[in-house]
Amino acid sequence: MPNPHPPQSLLKQFTNYTNSGIGLENFLRLIQSICQVISASAISAAEAEPWTKAFTNLALSRRYFRYFQFIDCFERAWAIFSGQDTVAASGYVLRTMAVGEWSCLGGYILLEAFTILDALNIYPSPLAEQVLLESYKFWFYSMVFAIVGIIWQLFVPVSSPKTQQTKSNNVKQADEKKGSERVTEKTSDEANAAAAGNTNTNTTRLLTELVALGCDILIPIQSLGWLDVDDLTVGSAAVVSTLLMGKYKWAKVQAQGGAL
């Protein structure tokens, strides 16, 4: 019987990726970061100029993708705070970190949105630069909350509702099958193996996000002047974080057939 869903070619997967919002934004971010690295590595200002222009224009184009995302961020923060989101069941610490993360991220995007006319040189404002710097502070705080939340999850693992439900079902099956120790033992082994696999996958994802955040946090730190970091380091770190998180976005887009 022929496979109803034959594997797609790499080119088709790439078009799926770039035809989606999150995929195209991530791809532009990768190109932008590479341009920054090349610009910072240039020997002369004349050689760096075209790459700097490309970096600046790509950075501006990516802002359109997140212009109204502050609404989603604030809604997510409220859902977690009010207990409507699943994160709310993960404990007080993670709940607090998540509310702080999404609230600050929303503040960053909202303040950044106010400077778009200045960035487009349509309505230049002397306040735009200061507003943008204040937005970077919110971005920095958001990543700090996210980093603390990830570290907490790594050292204090939280059982998900799905895992708890699985354990409950296993107990119920054990009670119903007391006369069959072999079946009970097999069910227990399978459940333990599945739980171990999920834990390893979750840990890998958390570590990946932690490294990506550690790379991205250099951007607001440099822009705010809190740490003397050169453009080459910031650009290289951005390339790393984009590639690390890009694989998860790639998988998400392919699972949805590019309809994102």
Side-chain angles (χ1 to χ4, degrees):
M1 183 177 180
N3 187 356
H5 301 288
Q8 296 180 333
S9 65
L10 183 60
L11 180 61
K12 176 57 178 174
Q13 294 181 47
F14 178 75
T15 56
N16 287 342
Y17 190 64
T18 53
N19 284 334
S20 66
I22 61 173
L24 181 58
E25 192 277 335
N26 198 69
F27 180 71
L28 292 177
R29 189 180 198 267
L30 177 61
I31 302 302
Q32 173 194 337
S33 303
I34 293 175
C35 289
Q36 184 178 15
V37 171
I38 297 176
S39 174
S41 304
I43 300 176
S44 63
E47 291 182 2
E49 183 179 2
W51 298 104
T52 302
K53 287 183 178 179
F55 163 78
T56 304
N57 289 327
L58 286 169
L60 179 59
S61 67
R62 289 180 51 241
R63 290 175 62 172
Y64 302 134
F65 288 91
R66 60 177 181 266
Y67 192 81
F68 290 106
Q69 284 187 4
F70 64 88
I71 300 174
D72 297 330
C73 293
F74 289 142
E75 284 187 345
R76 180 74 187 277
W78 173 252
I80 297 172
F81 178 77
S82 60
Q84 302 173 21
D85 193 280
T86 54
V87 178
S90 301
Y92 177 77
V93 174
L94 286 182
R95 183 177 182 177
T96 302
M97 293 302 105
V99 170
E101 175 190 354
W102 289 102
S103 298
C104 290
L105 186 60
Y108 156 62
I109 298 175
L110 178 61
L111 288 178
E112 183 192 57
F114 286 128
T115 67
I116 190 68
L117 294 180
D118 178 84
L120 292 170
N121 205 27
I122 295 176
Y123 188 79
S125 171
L127 297 176
E129 183 177 357
Q130 184 60 37
V131 172
L132 192 60
L133 289 177
E134 292 300 321
S135 74
Y136 283 147
K137 292 181 182 179
F138 278 100
W139 187 18
F140 172 81
Y141 300 146
S142 172
M143 286 190 280
V144 169
F145 278 118
I147 289 172
V148 173
I150 290 175
I151 293 175
W152 180 267
Q153 291 180 74
L154 289 173
F155 287 95
V156 186
V158 179
S159 298
S160 65
K162 184 176 180 180
T163 302
Q164 294 175 353
Q165 181 65 31
T166 301
K167 292 180 179 179
S168 177
N169 291 339
N170 290 339
V171 172
K172 184 177 179 181
Q173 290 176 3
D175 291 338
E176 293 175 350
K177 300 178 180 179
K178 287 183 178 179
S180 179
E181 295 181 359
R182 185 176 180 181
V183 174
T184 303
E185 183 178 353
K186 182 178 180 181
T187 303
S188 178
D189 291 342
E190 290 176 350
N192 291 336
N198 292 336
T199 300
N200 292 335
T201 301
N202 186 52
T203 301
T204 302
R205 176 63 184 262
L206 290 174
L207 290 174
T208 301
E209 291 181 0
L210 186 61
V211 173
L213 286 168
C215 293
D216 287 341
I217 204 170
L218 293 177
I219 300 175
I221 286 178
Q222 183 202 45
S223 300
L224 292 166
W226 291 350
L227 189 65
D228 186 15
V229 187
D230 59 88
D231 290 340
L232 180 59
T233 301
V234 174
S236 301
V239 171
V240 172
S241 67
T242 303
L243 292 175
L244 285 176
M245 298 309 299
K247 65 178 182 179
Y248 294 107
K249 295 178 180 179
W250 178 282
K252 182 178 180 180
V253 170
Q254 303 311 322
Q256 298 293 330
L260 288 174

